[in-house]
Amino acid sequence: MSNQIFAYITHHGGKADDSALELISAAKKIDPEAKVTAVVCGSGGDLDGLCQEVAASYPVVWKIDNPDVAYPNAENIRGLLVNVLPKEGIVLLPHDTFGMDLGPGLSIKLDSAYVTDVVAIEGADGDTLKTVRQEFGGQVHTHVNCDIASGAVITVRPGTFQPDESKSASGQIEDKTSEAGSVEAKRKFLEVLEAEIGEVDITKEDVLVSVGRGIGDEENLEVVQELAEAMGGVVSCSRPIVDAKWMEKARQVGTSGKTVKPKVYLAMGISGSFQHMGGVKGNPFIVAVNNNPKAPIFQVADVGVVEDMVEFAEELTEKINELK
Ligand code: FAD
């Protein structure tokens, strides 16, 4: 294959998101010898520092400095990217809310193939790229062969590729601002609304006891709370628990909740959806308790316990307290 590979770098507060290093690994699965180009859009202030940070990992960095893309406005970014990306390029994006917003329209404008939420790449064979997606909440793997002769836009599920932390590149930064041209912004950025921190800040905790729908009843939260106290941690949860108003939003882990980096993550009655696990970073020791031995969470857990979560929580609390 002769396609050039691009990775779109999302960033916050002048720092590249975790996906920046994961996309390098995804690109290497397409072509281990690829000279991958990172594309960084933003404006002023932190942009040069950010490009330098990215250049430690990518051999080429394209900088697009434009006030209309100071915030991650996918419509505006798409308008600039189509002016600089080659039609036969392979563009990797994180499969997050931003990537899902940017990807479809970009593939249409570039007239290229589009594959979403990719969890594995099995390499390219001529003009065919072999990718793997998950269906039915992770219970089924689907092999998707993608024709890359006229390029492709691929969204990659966060957390599924090992980040390449080698920082072995000393990339060349190329300013593509004028080539990217300008856009007429139809969507306007208004303000950033920071999420509430709540009673506890789960993003700072080393031990999280996380509960999901398998808890069954709000009353069972007490048992889980006791276990978290015995373990010296705090209780976090999946989205259905917040939707049921059993816990505050600030305790929700996941793509639409908080990103956590504990040392130990005890997931109880949680199936392991990618939206939930997408919020669990930093490679913690994961213990999953679930009464269904086929629950997808067991694919990522270091230790799996097939058991009723409430009974298990009571027994474990008792054992820990005995040992203390
Ligand atoms: P379920 O998927 O219903 O799983 C419950 C599990 O409990 C099952 O595996 C079951 O076997 C097990 N179980 C049942 N009874 C017991 C028992 N007695 N003992 C032990 N195990 C038991 N979800 C999030 O968590 N965070 C997010 O940020 C998030 N963002 C989302 C954003 C979008 C745009 C969308 C569409 C969805 C999002 N979701 C999010 C929802 C997500 O797709 C899943 O629906 C959700 O994570 C499922 O939560 P769960 O694992 O608790 O419930």
Side-chain angles (χ1 to χ4, degrees):
M1 59 162 272
S2 55
N3 311 64
Q4 209 178 334
I5 305 179
F6 298 87
Y8 189 86
I9 308 299
T10 55
H11 52 94
H12 292 94
K15 293 262 165 244
D17 292 345
D18 292 348
S19 61
L21 301 183
E22 295 170 9
L23 293 184
I24 307 173
S25 303
K28 297 279 176 196
K29 294 279 181 193
I30 299 172
D31 177 1
E33 304 302 320
K35 201 175 166 197
V36 188
T37 301
V39 182
V40 185
C41 294
S43 179
D46 301 328
L47 190 61
D48 284 330
L50 174 64
C51 287
Q52 305 250 330
E53 179 201 335
V54 175
S57 301
Y58 284 85
V60 183
V61 179
W62 283 4
K63 174 177 97 166
I64 299 178
D65 187 348
N66 184 318
D68 286 329
V69 293
Y71 295 93
N73 180 331
E75 185 192 16
N76 292 358
I77 290 169
R78 186 162 45 237
L80 301 181
L81 290 185
V82 292
N83 296 330
V84 287
L85 288 171
K87 291 254 184 258
E88 69 291 350
I90 296 178
V91 185
L92 302 178
L93 309 170
H95 187 79
D96 54 16
T97 44
F98 170 77
M100 285 186 264
D101 193 3
L102 177 64
L106 187 62
S107 72
I108 290 169
K109 296 271 183 201
L110 295 172
D111 197 18
S112 63
Y114 183 46
V115 193
T116 58
D117 196 15
V118 164
V119 297
I121 294 173
E122 295 173 327
D125 181 6
D127 282 339
T128 304
L129 179 66
K130 297 177 176 178
T131 65
V132 181
R133 308 177 69 245
Q134 285 183 344
E135 314 258 333
F136 301 109
Q139 312 246 17
V140 175
H141 279 94
T142 316
H143 292 257
V144 179
N145 283 357
C146 166
D147 182 351
I148 51 173
S150 56
V153 174
I154 297 172
T155 66
V156 176
R157 181 182 295 184
T160 52
F161 287 84
Q162 198 63 30
D164 178 344
E165 302 193 35
S166 59
K167 306 230 182 260
S168 52
S170 56
Q172 188 187 328
I173 301 173
E174 297 176 15
D175 194 336
K176 290 278 175 179
T177 306
S178 47
E179 203 181 315
S182 59
V183 278
E184 202 184 313
K186 293 194 179 114
R187 274 189 218 170
K188 293 233 186 304
F189 166 77
L190 296 180
E191 62 177 320
V192 173
L193 294 172
E194 294 293 349
E196 284 171 29
I197 290 186
E199 297 161 20
V200 289
D201 186 356
I202 60 170
T203 65
K204 302 267 183 327
E205 295 290 334
D206 282 343
V207 178
L208 288 175
V209 177
S210 216
V211 286
R213 201 176 345 233
I215 195 170
D217 199 312
E218 187 178 9
E219 281 180 8
N220 293 329
L221 277 175
E222 203 179 320
V223 177
V224 178
Q225 183 61 45
E226 282 166 14
L227 173 59
E229 272 165 30
M231 290 177 66
V234 302
V235 180
S236 55
C237 64
S238 67
R239 185 154 129 179
I241 302 301
V242 174
D243 291 346
K245 303 205 181 342
W246 293 353
M247 298 203 85
E248 54 172 354
K249 176 83 179 165
R251 301 240 188 186
Q252 181 189 319
V253 174
T255 51
S256 61
K258 294 275 169 69
T259 298
V260 295
K261 287 188 176 173
K263 292 190 175 130
V264 176
Y265 194 71
L266 175 53
M268 308 186 82
I270 290 178
S271 58
S273 70
F274 83 88
Q275 290 98 343
H276 183 80
M277 297 313 293
V280 183
K281 299 282 183 186
N283 203 16
F285 189 77
I286 300 178
V287 180
V289 185
N290 198 301
N291 62 3
N292 175 5
K294 292 193 173 156
I297 187 118
F298 289 132
Q299 291 169 18
V300 293
D302 295 284
V303 173
V305 181
V306 181
E307 185 61 89
D308 176 84
M309 60 156 285
V310 178
E311 282 176 24
F312 181 81
E314 282 169 342
E315 267 185 52
L316 186 57
T317 310
E318 209 178 296
K319 290 275 179 230
I320 294 172
N321 288 338
E322 263 173 40
L323 284 172
K324 277 181 177 170

